[in-house]
Amino acid sequence: MKPPLTDLPIKTADSGFYGGFSVNVTVVSKIIISVLVVWCIFWPVQAGAVLGTWNAAILNNFAAWYIWVVAFFVIVCLGLAIWPTAGRLNLGQDGETPEFSNFSWFSMMFGAGIGVGMLTWAVAEPVAHFKNNPAVIQGVNTALGADNVREAYVWSFLHWGLGAWACYAIAGLALAFFSYRRGLPLTIRSALTPLFGKALSGTLGHIIDIVAVVATILGVAQTLGFGVEQFVAGLTRIGFNGLATADGSATTFGIVVALLVIMGASTLSALSGVGKGIKWLSNINMVLSILLLGFFIIFGATFFGATAFLVGIWDYITALPFLSFNVYTSDGVEGSEAFKLAQWQGWWPVFYWAWWIAFAPFVGLFLARISRGRTIREFVLGAMIVPSLMCFVWFAWAGGTAVDLELNGDANGVILDAANGDKIFAMTTFMLEPISQVLSWLMAVMIVVLLMTFLVTSADSAVLIVNTINAAGDEGPKARPHILFWGGALALVVGGLLISGGTSAIQTAMVIGALPFSIVMVLMCLALIKAIYNDGRRQAVGVPTTHTEIAAVTPAE
């Protein structure tokens, strides 16, 4: 048994505009994103039509791939935690201890992995599934009926539970293992060294990192796209008129205003690095999140939410084996039950699995950075179970309050009829306006500020992480022009796709962009299993397995 590979040179420019960056990765990534932006802004109708056609083709041909590949990630994560050889390995040097406390670690994981999603979907998704899901389509349950509440929570928990966090955990685990145990660059290609070796220093490695950059930009664009629509809805609620149409969707002017505010703040934050500004924003974020969740638990549907949480977890766990592998196949007859089931699965599970996969390079790299010194077992269980439970708490009490208000007839469609991004505002307004219009307005302001902090931290982190991948894993200071480019590019991708087809266009682009990266993630799983198996064999015969051990026994040149 030879020692593992601990040196993967990646060529970067020595000086000039691209000094410190891999020119191949950076330039090609910029060209791909620039072409997408120009296409969507200058030819929006054609872009919308073509993206729609591609989306239909992917749903027809790759829906099963997305469903099954995420099930594979869950199995691999749990298998690594159970496997004795893997579970006890340190994601760092042997004996190294974690940098962050468990509380800080969980808080940062939740903020990075979910962030703004809770403000839109914790209310909107249970309500959407309460109205329609496969059981309703098949005539088993009644839309908006009491018999449909449990089914609504099964699907909500499925989309934000173990499957989502397994995608993040695989990426984070692979990056941490190969960067901190092997001493390889903190970039996506390093995670595939057991399969491709030093070939990853060249074109193959460049392609993998480019795929990761494009997937990250499209995944974060999806998050920002929903956030922009919700931000505009919130601004309209607190008195800024002219930003949304009568049906609540953002106007082009509203999109531009929201993006200027959000991306302007996040680019300034990225330019300053992770300094006082971003820490200050994160602290505000945490306090406001606790206040908002506390409001729903205390003044919302307290008992209904508790029941939804406990019963929902049981229903989710018992349904998980079937839901993880079941694929609905369309018969091609529009309006038929089979067609509706396949269409629904494309709208929800397939969309979510693509979103989490596209988001995985971003969240995975972040998880790797904050998890050094933890064991694989600790990482897998901590990164999958605790954040999933936090999501379930939000869905149970924030979404449960909305479902309860609609179920008992009090809301009378006020929440149901609101746009997804506006549902949380519609619900808090309904709850507080009869008591005090000032309280209602202040709650809307608080949600807008919380939304702003989530969006700014997500966009800021995405820009810094894209530059880390482009700089061959170097986490040091990045050149100002490149930060400005990616900040502007992210804003233009979101704006261009929203203008060419609304959030559905962003959804389509992201589903397409996630497809090649899903293949990279499968290879990550295989590489990680191979590396851990071989490390067990190495340790049995006394061959070093970490880069410091290898350096200690290698004679100086």
Side-chain angles (χ1 to χ4, degrees):
M1 291 294 295
K2 292 181 180 179
L5 179 68
T6 56
D7 180 36
L8 186 68
I10 302 173
K11 182 174 171 49
T12 56
D14 295 326
S15 60
F17 184 72
Y18 286 103
F21 286 84
S22 167
V23 176
N24 295 295
V25 175
T26 309
V27 171
V28 176
S29 301
K30 286 181 174 180
I31 289 171
I32 292 171
I33 295 300
S34 299
V35 168
L36 179 65
V37 166
V38 170
W39 183 39
C40 289
I41 289 178
F42 290 98
W43 293 279
V45 176
Q46 183 200 41
V50 172
L51 287 172
T53 303
W54 288 355
N55 189 49
I58 284 178
L59 293 184
N60 287 335
N61 298 298
F62 293 99
W65 166 259
Y66 276 119
I67 298 294
W68 293 339
V69 84
V70 170
F72 174 64
F73 296 154
V74 173
I75 291 167
V76 170
C77 283
L78 296 178
L80 289 174
I82 296 167
W83 183 16
T85 304
R88 58 184 166 74
L89 283 179
N90 191 313
L91 293 174
Q93 300 305 298
D94 292 333
E96 197 170 340
T97 55
E99 180 183 354
F100 301 102
S101 69
N102 285 340
F103 178 78
S104 297
W105 186 51
F106 293 140
S107 298
M108 288 188 285
M109 272 195 298
F110 183 74
I114 297 300
V116 69
M118 283 296 95
L119 290 179
T120 302
W121 296 109
V123 175
E125 185 158 345
V127 170
H129 298 328
F130 180 48
K131 187 176 182 179
N132 189 37
N133 60 58
V136 173
I137 294 170
Q138 292 169 317
V140 177
N141 289 352
T142 310
L144 305 178
D147 63 339
N148 201 34
V149 173
R150 289 176 67 170
E151 191 73 10
Y153 273 94
V154 168
W155 288 104
S156 298
F157 285 8
L158 176 74
H159 298 150
W160 295 79
L162 298 180
W165 290 94
C167 295
Y168 300 157
I170 285 294
L173 195 55
L175 286 164
F177 183 91
F178 290 104
S179 294
Y180 302 137
R181 286 189 68 82
R182 299 283 197 259
L184 298 172
L186 188 60
T187 186
I188 306 302
R189 70 177 81 184
S190 296
L192 304 185
T193 48
L195 301 180
F196 302 109
K198 291 211 169 185
L200 292 164
S201 289
T203 303
L204 178 61
H206 300 331
I207 291 170
I208 288 164
D209 282 348
I210 289 164
V211 165
V213 169
V214 173
T216 299
I217 291 294
L218 292 175
V220 176
Q222 179 70 65
T223 302
L224 293 179
F226 285 134
V228 163
E229 295 255 303
Q230 190 169 32
F231 190 62
V232 169
L235 290 176
T236 303
R237 288 275 180 179
I238 62 177
F240 292 91
N241 298 317
L243 303 178
T245 59
D247 65 356
S249 58
T251 61
T252 301
F253 176 68
I255 291 168
V256 171
V257 169
L259 285 172
L260 283 174
V261 173
I262 294 161
M263 296 310 301
S266 62
T267 304
L268 288 173
S269 176
L271 286 170
S272 66
V274 185
K276 291 181 180 177
I278 199 71
K279 290 179 183 175
W280 185 65
L281 280 173
S282 298
N283 289 337
I284 291 177
N285 186 305
M286 185 59 68
V287 171
L288 293 182
S289 294
I290 293 169
L291 285 174
L292 183 60
L293 185 57
F295 169 78
F296 290 126
I297 292 173
I298 297 167
F299 299 105
T302 307
F303 180 74
F304 186 96
T307 305
F309 179 71
L310 296 172
V311 176
I313 289 175
W314 170 255
D315 288 346
Y316 163 63
I317 292 170
T318 54
L320 186 60
F322 172 74
L323 297 181
S324 296
F325 296 96
N326 178 54
V327 178
Y328 293 113
T329 305
S330 174
D331 58 5
V333 180
E334 192 165 347
S336 69
E337 182 179 294
F339 180 89
K340 287 179 180 177
L341 287 170
Q343 186 181 51
W344 190 92
Q345 190 168 48
W347 285 342
W348 290 98
V350 173
F351 155 67
Y352 269 123
W353 296 162
W355 190 5
W356 305 146
I357 288 167
F359 222 48
F362 164 47
V363 182
L365 205 150
F366 179 79
L367 288 183
R369 288 169 65 175
I370 65 172
S371 302
R372 182 166 185 162
R374 295 187 181 274
T375 65
I376 288 179
R377 182 175 295 115
E378 189 180 6
F379 176 90
V380 168
L381 298 179
M384 285 179 66
I385 293 173
V386 175
S388 294
L389 290 173
M390 280 301 300
C391 291
F392 298 166
V393 167
W394 272 91
F395 277 90
W397 275 279
T401 300
V403 170
D404 189 44
L405 288 170
E406 289 292 358
L407 184 62
N408 63 32
D410 289 348
N412 198 27
V414 168
I415 304 167
L416 269 171
D417 296 339
N420 284 334
D422 195 35
K423 277 182 167 58
I424 192 168
F425 294 105
M427 181 170 71
T428 53
T429 300
F430 174 80
M431 293 170 69
L432 291 173
E433 205 159 58
I435 301 168
S436 166
Q437 287 192 337
V438 174
L439 271 179
S440 174
W441 184 83
L442 287 173
M443 177 61 80
V445 170
M446 187 181 91
I447 296 171
V448 167
V449 172
L450 178 57
L451 183 61
M452 175 77 176
T453 61
F454 269 133
L455 290 169
V456 169
T457 50
S458 294
D460 158 65
S461 302
V463 169
L464 291 174
I465 280 171
V466 162
N467 272 325
T468 297
I469 297 172
N470 286 335
D474 179 14
E475 299 178 74
K478 302 298 185 293
R480 185 179 297 260
H482 299 286
I483 290 173
L484 291 172
F485 173 86
W486 287 112
L490 197 49
L492 289 171
V493 167
V494 175
L497 288 168
L498 283 175
I499 291 165
S500 68
T503 51
S504 62
I506 301 182
Q507 177 178 332
T508 301
M510 184 269 301
V511 169
I512 296 165
L515 190 57
F517 192 70
S518 67
I519 298 168
V520 173
M521 286 185 65
V522 169
L523 294 175
M524 277 181 165
C525 293
L526 300 177
L528 195 56
I529 293 167
K530 181 180 178 182
I532 293 169
Y533 173 70
N534 283 337
D535 274 6
R537 295 172 63 206
R538 288 185 182 104
Q539 288 176 344
V541 294
V543 176
T545 58
T546 63
H547 67 96
T548 51
E549 292 172 342
I550 292 166
V553 298
T554 302
E557 294 182 4

